[in-house]
């Protein structure tokens, strides 16, 4: 048995948060059906080199096509909703209502249905109708303002950070709504904005500003809470990251790099004190690391039980022995491309583990099978296809 076996999800969403949330549910056994427009498929199919993003985002999903702006497509969605537990969508607020697919109508078809609505800014408020992309959330949440080098420009992440965090939050919200349904017998609407989960993981910034008026500055790779904390280049041109969040780790690092005299300074006893002397601490660590290869640095830090990590690119990730032991990057057979390597399911369950059954399938692969299961005949399906409804 899989953890979410018996849960059926319709994924109506596109790029990226909604589809990734559906992917996470599918990884642990939910039956996920990806619903795409007949002529305008999810843009992730063409995103990135070779369209390979779709192979990950579409994994474990069956695929079908429906034109939800057409009456026939709306009727089919309502028919599918009767035996569905969750619908995930990311249209602008009001779109489903314009298509006569409001939650009230969906709930008439299935009172137990959970509708997860993922947008940039939520279903109400002055920004609700704005297009929602992760970049906007990264800009408006405070993330970009505190990211980058001191004196440099605000910096955006080179990947869909806000979308990914929102996907995790959406999957969690769906599970919370399904758990509530066990008590109430009724489904409900999940109103998920992309910006709010990112606000949460940024930590106590609003509370600190509220009480102390502090606005986080850009500090590069340094921390405002402890030092030394930075990236350092080794003699062979590679890089490592050092963290000293704990006092005993900071002391071990300074002994290792030959500067135990710093430890006896009164300011060294607190993270805040060390931050005020970050320049001299960084100089000591950088000088010591810069004289050694990465292999030598890692071995010495390991022996000293100090916290260090190599800075990897994707080539290193693919061959790291710990990640290999975890099967964090696994191999999935694709009918068209052969063996594909991609991130495995996110966590391990001892009794009901998740798995990747197949990577993203071609556009509309399962349309006929799904509609046949609804009771439509081959002639019915042909007629719908001729009308452009599927």
């Amino acid at each position: 048995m899989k953890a979410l076996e018996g849960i059926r999800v319709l994924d109506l969403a596109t790029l990226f948060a909604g589809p990734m949330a559906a992917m996470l549910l599918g990884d642990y056994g939910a039956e996920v059906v990806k619903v795409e427009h007949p002529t305008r498929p999810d843009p992730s199919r063409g995103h990135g080199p070779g369209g390979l993003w779709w192979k990950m985002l579409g994994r474990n999903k069956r695929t079908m096509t429906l034109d939800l702006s057409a009456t026939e497509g709306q009727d089919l969605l309502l028919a599918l909703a009767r035996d569905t537990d969750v619908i995930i969508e990311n249209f602008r607020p009001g779109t489903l209502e314009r298509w006569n697919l409001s939650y009230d109508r969906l709930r008439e078809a299935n009172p137990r249905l959970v509708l997860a609505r993922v947008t940039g800014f939520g279903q109400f408020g002055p920004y609700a109708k704005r297009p929602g992309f992760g970049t906007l959330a990264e800009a408006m949440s405070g993330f970009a303002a505190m990211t980058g080098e001191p004196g440099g420009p605000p910096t955006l992440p080179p990947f869909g950070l806000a979308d990914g965090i929102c996907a995790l939050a959406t999957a969690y919200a769906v599970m919370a709504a399904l758990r509530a349904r066990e008590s109430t017998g009724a489904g409900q609407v999940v109103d998920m904005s992309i910006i709010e989960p990112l606000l949460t993981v940024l930590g106590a910034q609003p509370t600190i500003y509220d009480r102390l008026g502090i606005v986080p500055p850009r500090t590069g790779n340094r921390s405002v809470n402890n030092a030394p904390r930075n990236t350092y280049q080794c003699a062979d041109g590679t890089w490592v990251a050092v963290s000293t969040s704990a006092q005993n780790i900071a002391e071990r690092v300074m002994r290792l790099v030959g500067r135990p005299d710093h430890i006896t300074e009164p300011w060294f006893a607190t993270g805040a004190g060390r931050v005020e002397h970050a320049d001299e601490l960084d100089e000591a660590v950088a000088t010591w690391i810069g004289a050694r290869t990465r292999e030598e640095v890692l071995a010495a830090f390991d022996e000293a039980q100090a916290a260090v990590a190599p800075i990897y690119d994707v080539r290193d990730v693919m061959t790291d022995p710990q990640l290999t032991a975890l099967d964090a990057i696994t191999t999935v057979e694709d009918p068209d491309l052969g063996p594909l390597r991609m991130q495995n399911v996110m966590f391990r369950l001892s009794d009901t583990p998740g798995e990747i059954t197949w990577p993203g399938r071609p556009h509309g692969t399962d349309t006929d099978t799904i509609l046949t299961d609804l009771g439509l005949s081959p002639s019915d399906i042909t007629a719908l296809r001729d009308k452009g409804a599927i």
Side-chain angles (χ1 to χ4, degrees):
M1 180 180 175
K2 296 181 181 178
L4 300 182
E5 190 173 313
I7 298 296
R8 191 185 200 199
V9 179
L10 295 183
D11 173 12
L12 312 185
T14 57
L15 290 177
F16 284 101
M20 186 172 286
M23 180 201 84
L24 294 170
L25 298 172
D27 281 351
Y28 292 91
E31 178 197 351
V32 181
V33 176
K34 176 72 176 181
V35 180
E36 299 171 87
H37 190 276
T39 60
R40 297 190 301 275
D42 188 329
S44 68
R45 290 183 179 275
H47 188 78
L52 292 173
W53 262 89
W54 167 251
K55 290 298 183 181
M56 175 190 172
L57 280 178
R59 71 193 196 190
N60 293 333
K61 300 178 184 181
R62 295 198 292 163
T63 64
M64 70 173 299
T65 58
L66 284 181
D67 182 355
L68 298 180
S69 67
T71 301
E72 296 86 353
Q74 296 160 14
D75 291 342
L76 288 171
L77 185 72
L78 289 169
L80 289 167
R82 293 188 184 99
D83 294 316
T84 291
D85 298 283
V86 181
I87 291 178
I88 300 175
E89 61 98 355
N90 70 339
F91 304 111
R92 290 198 201 185
T95 301
L96 282 186
E97 289 75 8
R98 189 172 71 249
W99 290 339
N100 199 25
L101 290 170
S102 67
Y103 184 63
D104 285 342
R105 191 174 185 212
L106 291 167
R107 187 162 50 186
E108 288 176 6
N110 181 1
R112 293 173 56 80
L113 180 69
V114 171
L115 175 63
R117 314 194 75 171
V118 182
T119 57
F121 302 101
Q123 294 293 313
F124 57 90
Y127 302 159
K129 299 287 186 179
R130 290 185 180 181
F133 296 100
T135 298
L136 308 187
E138 289 147 8
M140 295 178 66
S141 63
F143 171 84
M146 66 180 297
T147 304
E149 293 298 321
T155 302
L156 296 167
F159 65 101
L161 175 67
D163 285 284
I165 294 173
C166 181
L168 289 164
T170 302
Y172 169 74
V174 165
M175 297 310 300
L178 291 175
R179 174 63 184 89
R181 190 180 71 175
E182 294 179 10
S183 300
T184 67
Q188 59 183 300
V189 174
V190 172
D191 180 1
M192 177 65 69
S193 72
I194 296 176
I195 192 170
E196 287 173 289
L198 184 54
L199 276 172
T200 298
V201 301
L202 285 175
Q205 288 184 29
T207 306
I208 293 169
Y209 176 76
D210 176 62
R211 303 304 297 175
L212 303 175
I214 296 173
V215 176
R218 288 190 282 282
T219 60
N221 291 318
R222 286 181 173 176
S223 169
V224 297
N225 300 309
N226 62 78
R229 191 264 199 179
N230 215 324
T231 60
Y232 307 92
Q233 191 170 25
C234 304
D236 55 7
T238 59
W239 292 79
V240 296
V242 172
S243 176
T244 57
S245 298
Q247 179 69 23
N248 63 337
I249 299 296
E251 294 174 4
R252 291 172 190 170
V253 169
M254 299 319 296
R255 290 192 189 98
L256 174 64
V257 302
R259 294 303 306 269
D261 53 301
H262 285 318
I263 300 172
T264 61
E265 297 287 350
W267 50 260
F268 196 88
T270 67
R274 297 197 304 275
V275 168
E276 293 179 0
H277 294 263
D279 286 344
E280 54 197 287
L281 295 175
D282 264 348
E283 181 181 3
V285 176
T287 299
W288 188 90
I289 288 176
R292 292 160 176 82
T293 66
R294 186 168 75 177
E295 184 177 349
E296 292 169 336
V297 170
L298 295 178
F301 267 73
D302 185 53
E303 184 176 352
Q305 297 185 29
V308 69
I311 292 179
Y312 280 171
D313 61 24
V314 68
R315 293 168 295 185
D316 303 306
V317 168
M318 301 293 267
T319 58
D320 178 80
Q322 176 62 30
L323 295 175
T324 299
L326 295 175
D327 196 27
I329 306 297
T330 196
T331 300
V332 185
E333 286 294 327
D334 182 81
D336 301 315
L337 302 178
L340 279 182
R341 299 188 72 191
M342 66 176 65
Q343 299 95 319
N344 206 343
V345 298
M346 196 171 290
F347 50 88
R348 285 162 292 284
L349 296 176
S350 60
D351 295 333
T352 56
E355 68 173 333
I356 304 171
T357 307
W358 60 76
R361 293 151 78 90
H363 183 228
T365 294
D366 304 289
T367 302
D368 288 19
T369 300
I370 293 169
L371 295 182
T372 298
D373 291 342
L374 276 180
L376 275 68
S377 67
S379 59
D380 293 331
I381 295 171
T382 298
L384 288 166
R385 188 165 278 117
D386 288 344
K387 289 182 179 180
I390 61 172

